[in-house]
């Protein structure tokens, strides 16, 4: 069992090990779950066998540390119930980590009498060292990204959109942003427990911020602000929505219908007094190189667009240079108002395609139409025919509008 704790000590959450081994966070989580399962079965079998072997002298042979070891194993097992993890991720996370630290601590007591060079002690030493190095590295990165640089820390502005919150974070230590990157975000002021919560979000957009006054030229000539899109669920994201209500820029459906969409970097023009401190961990995630493909089709639904926009922008820019790429997006939405989440950025991406022939956007709207006259099955086109809105399920589309050859591509 102890040898299994070595890979487990790397954790199941995204960290430097993903970057080092070039593995996907989902793969790391699955590896962690499977090895954890094997270790738990072995540990439980060990406890049961020990109890049966010493059933006559249980009082004399079992110490308080042994009981603690068994209890921490039980705590970890209890935290693994999928329903519990889904309903209360933060409680799961706290119980899981506390149980694991307690388990390793009491295991040290378990092997204390053995020689320092015996396998159990060596394994535990490796486990403890890896865990400590991981924690120190994480803390170092977290402090570097989040401590104030030249007196200014990360500043987040939250803006409410229908069923989502736009989080614009002006970074004190920006990095070279790439498509496919995501960060862990903590907004301490979001709620009483927000300080101990960090949640992953894809970088949906980035831009160079303006100076202190909107009419000033940028002082730093490189992108320093990221925008994250947070779909409203029941925990932290709901708190973000509550906080963002103070910025009602795009919240009401009426406002969305009547207001002109602002500049793609509109967050920069918002009231600076609405900014609140943010802690950023990352970046994580690898960019997938799509430059070598002639045709790239993106399929997504709802908030999934956050992970794809920057790939589209990048491909549009590459295509503008060599003229060979063809890009199409197929995006299914529960409400037509959700299209406003990325409206200004989509317009910017489409404007890069000067020929209006190489980027195609197909939006499938399932309900909650903006116009009362819209009927299921209707279709509408805009931006010189490169944006199509289909008021039906993507799966119901009989294919006529999403065959690559019918998209308007040349060949
Ligand atoms: C790599 C990655 C990138 C993501 N990018 C985006 C994005 O760009 N936009 C977006 O809206 N959502 C994104 N998500 C999902 C987002 O992180 C969760 O929706 C958010 O953490 C839910 O927070 P909550 O407290 O409101 O959730 P709850 O209402 O408490 O739970 C909703 C669901 O989210 C899961 N969840 C809760 N906390 C976490 C956490 N810390 N880590 C992972 N899962 C969690 C729960 O298990 C549950 O299934 C991403 C998730 C991952 C793993």
């Amino acid at each position: 069992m102890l040898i299994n704790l070595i890979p487990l000590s790397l954790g199941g959450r995204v960290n430097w090990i993903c970057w080092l081994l070039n593995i996907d966070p989902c793969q790391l989580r699955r590896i962690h779950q499977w090895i954890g399962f094997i270790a738990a079965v072995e540990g439980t079998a060990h406890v049961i066998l020990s109890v049966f072997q010493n059933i006559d002298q249980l009082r004399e042979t079992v110490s308080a540390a042994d009981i603690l070891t068994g209890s921490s194993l039980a705590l970890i097992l209890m935290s693994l119930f999928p329903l519990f993890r889904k309903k209360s991720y933060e409680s799961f996370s706290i119980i899981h980590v506390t149980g694991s630290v307690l388990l390793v601590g009491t295991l040290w007591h378990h092997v204390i009498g053995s020689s320092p060079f015996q396998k159990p002690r060596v394994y535990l030493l490796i486990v403890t060292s890896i865990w400590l190095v991981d924690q120190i590295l994480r803390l170092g990165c977290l402090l570097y990204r989040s401590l104030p640089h030249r007196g200014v820390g990360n500043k987040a502005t939250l803006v409410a959109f229908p069923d989502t919150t736009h989080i614009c974070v002006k970074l004190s230590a920006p990095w070279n942003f790439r498509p496919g990157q995501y960060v862990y975000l903590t907004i301490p002021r979001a709620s009483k427990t927000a300080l101990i919560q960090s949640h992953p979000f894809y970088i949906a957009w980035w831009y160079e911020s303006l100076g202190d006054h909107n009419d000033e030229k940028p002082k730093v000539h490189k992108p320093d602000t990221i925008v994250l899109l947070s779909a409203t669920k029941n925990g932290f994201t709901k708190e973000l929505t509550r906080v963002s209500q103070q910025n009602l820029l795009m919240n009401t459906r009426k406002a969305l219908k009547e207001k002109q969409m602002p500049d793609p970097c509109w967050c920069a023009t918002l009231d600076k007094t609405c900014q609140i401190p943010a802690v950023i961990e990352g970046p994580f995630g690898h960019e997938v190189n799509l430059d070598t493909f002639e045709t790239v089709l993106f399929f997504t639904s709802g908030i999934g667009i956050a992970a794809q926009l920057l790939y589209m922008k990048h491909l549009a820019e590459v295509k503008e240079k060599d003229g060979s790429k063809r890009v199409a997006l197929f995006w299914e939405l529960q409400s037509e108002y959700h299209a406003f989440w990325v409206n200004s950025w989509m317009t910017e991406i489409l404007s890069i395609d000067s020929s209006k022939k190489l980027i195609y956007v197909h939006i499938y709207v399932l309900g909650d139409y903006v116009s009362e006259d819209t009927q299921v099955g209707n279709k509408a086109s805009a931006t010189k025919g490169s944006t199509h809105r289909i008021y039906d399920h993507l799966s119901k589309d009989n294919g006529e509008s999403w065959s690559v050859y019918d998209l308007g591509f040349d060949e």
Side-chain angles (χ1 to χ4, degrees):
M1 177 204 170
L2 285 184
I3 197 164
N4 287 326
L5 295 185
I6 296 175
L8 287 178
S9 61
L10 294 168
R13 211 181 99 153
V14 185
N15 54 28
W16 52 274
I17 205 77
C18 288
W19 169 77
L20 204 68
L21 302 178
N22 195 13
I23 54 172
D24 187 52
C26 292
Q27 280 174 304
L28 181 74
R29 203 171 50 235
R30 238 171 271 141
I31 293 170
H32 185 83
Q33 282 170 348
W34 272 108
I35 299 178
F37 175 73
I38 294 165
V41 170
E42 287 174 348
T44 313
H46 177 77
V47 172
I48 294 171
L49 283 176
S50 306
V51 168
F52 277 109
Q53 272 173 1
N54 301 300
I55 196 99
D56 297 332
Q57 321 107 24
L58 265 188
R59 277 176 177 250
E60 295 85 59
T61 48
V62 177
S63 67
D66 294 336
I67 295 173
L68 258 181
T69 311
S71 311
S72 42
L73 185 63
L75 202 65
I76 296 172
L77 288 176
M78 268 160 36
S79 74
L80 295 179
F81 279 112
L83 196 66
F84 177 58
R85 194 172 41 187
K86 212 171 160 72
K87 283 271 170 232
S88 179
Y89 189 89
E90 296 313 320
S91 314
F92 150 76
S93 175
I94 291 169
I95 293 177
H96 195 72
V97 173
T98 312
S100 309
V101 172
L102 207 64
L103 181 71
V104 173
T106 52
L107 279 175
W108 267 112
H109 191 271
H110 210 62
V111 299
I112 205 82
S114 61
S115 138
F117 301 107
Q118 271 194 330
K119 275 184 191 163
R121 285 189 74 163
V122 175
Y123 291 156
L124 274 183
L125 190 68
I126 298 174
V127 168
T128 313
S129 312
I130 291 179
W131 188 79
L132 279 176
V133 168
D134 181 38
Q135 296 306 308
I136 291 168
L137 277 177
R138 264 189 71 186
L139 188 69
C141 292
L142 197 87
L143 291 178
Y144 176 72
R145 289 276 171 239
S146 301
L147 276 184
H149 288 238
R150 281 181 243 107
V152 187
N154 297 329
K155 294 278 178 207
T157 312
L158 310 186
V159 185
F161 271 67
D163 308 318
T164 188
T165 307
H166 280 218
I167 309 154
C168 308
V169 189
K170 186 171 177 191
L171 298 161
S172 58
W175 59 90
N176 184 22
F177 305 126
R178 299 302 310 154
Q181 286 183 337
Y182 57 93
V183 293
Y184 274 81
L185 172 78
T186 300
I187 304 267
R189 283 199 204 156
S191 70
K192 282 184 187 146
T193 59
L195 185 63
I196 53 162
Q197 296 190 39
S198 73
H199 294 259
F201 294 100
Y202 275 99
I203 299 176
W205 202 257
W206 68 67
Y207 61 88
E208 190 174 312
S209 70
L210 299 170
D212 288 340
H213 303 289
N214 297 340
D215 51 354
E216 273 184 31
K217 288 227 165 74
K219 282 178 183 159
V220 186
H221 292 281
K222 74 175 209 183
D224 59 354
T225 302
I226 52 173
V227 188
L228 316 171
L229 302 188
S230 156
T232 308
K233 302 267 174 62
N234 293 316
F236 174 72
T237 52
K238 198 172 179 181
E239 293 300 332
L240 290 185
T241 304
R242 187 186 53 76
V243 176
S244 67
Q245 300 298 327
Q246 55 188 286
N247 271 322
L248 288 171
L249 182 75
M250 289 290 153
N251 190 29
T252 63
R253 283 152 198 252
K254 194 164 174 288
L256 282 170
K257 274 194 206 177
E258 289 173 1
K259 274 197 183 178
Q260 273 214 320
M261 282 310 289
D263 185 65
C265 308
W266 52 270
C267 298
T269 62
L270 293 172
D271 186 355
K272 296 282 180 293
T273 57
C274 296
Q275 291 181 336
I276 50 176
V279 177
I280 292 284
E281 192 185 349
F284 301 107
H286 288 278
E287 179 182 6
V288 180
N289 185 3
L290 301 174
D291 293 5
T292 50
F293 295 96
E294 280 288 295
T295 303
V296 183
L297 306 180
F298 293 94
F299 291 86
T300 190
S301 68
I303 201 69
I305 192 69
Q308 305 200 341
L309 268 184
L310 287 172
Y311 277 111
M312 287 188 66
K313 183 172 184 245
H314 171 74
L315 287 173
E317 284 163 354
V318 172
K319 176 203 71 59
E320 260 309 283
K321 279 190 208 127
D322 68 17
S324 65
K325 300 277 174 301
R326 301 174 299 187
V327 181
L329 168 73
F330 300 88
W331 184 25
E332 194 172 74
L333 296 176
Q334 294 293 333
S335 159
E336 195 170 6
Y337 289 92
H338 293 175
F340 288 103
W341 295 343
V342 298
N343 215 355
S344 54
W345 303 327
M346 201 63 92
T347 309
E348 182 177 319
I349 292 171
L350 288 167
S351 71
I352 299 172
D353 175 19
S354 51
S355 63
K356 301 281 175 257
K357 277 189 176 167
L358 296 159
I359 299 178
Y360 283 82
V361 177
H362 286 236
I363 301 176
Y364 295 81
V365 185
L366 302 184
D368 195 16
Y369 305 140
V370 171
S371 164
E372 284 162 12
D373 300 332
T374 307
Q375 304 281 328
V376 177
N378 283 171
K379 291 183 181 180
S381 296
T383 328
K384 291 193 184 161
S386 51
T387 309
H388 303 276
R389 209 162 273 199
I390 300 111
Y391 296 91
D392 215 334
H393 288 263
L394 172 63
S395 58
K396 288 224 182 118
D397 195 328
N398 60 17
E400 68 187 54
S401 56
W402 59 285
S403 150
V404 171
Y405 301 101
D406 291 337
L407 284 172
F409 295 153
D410 300 340
E411 43 188 279

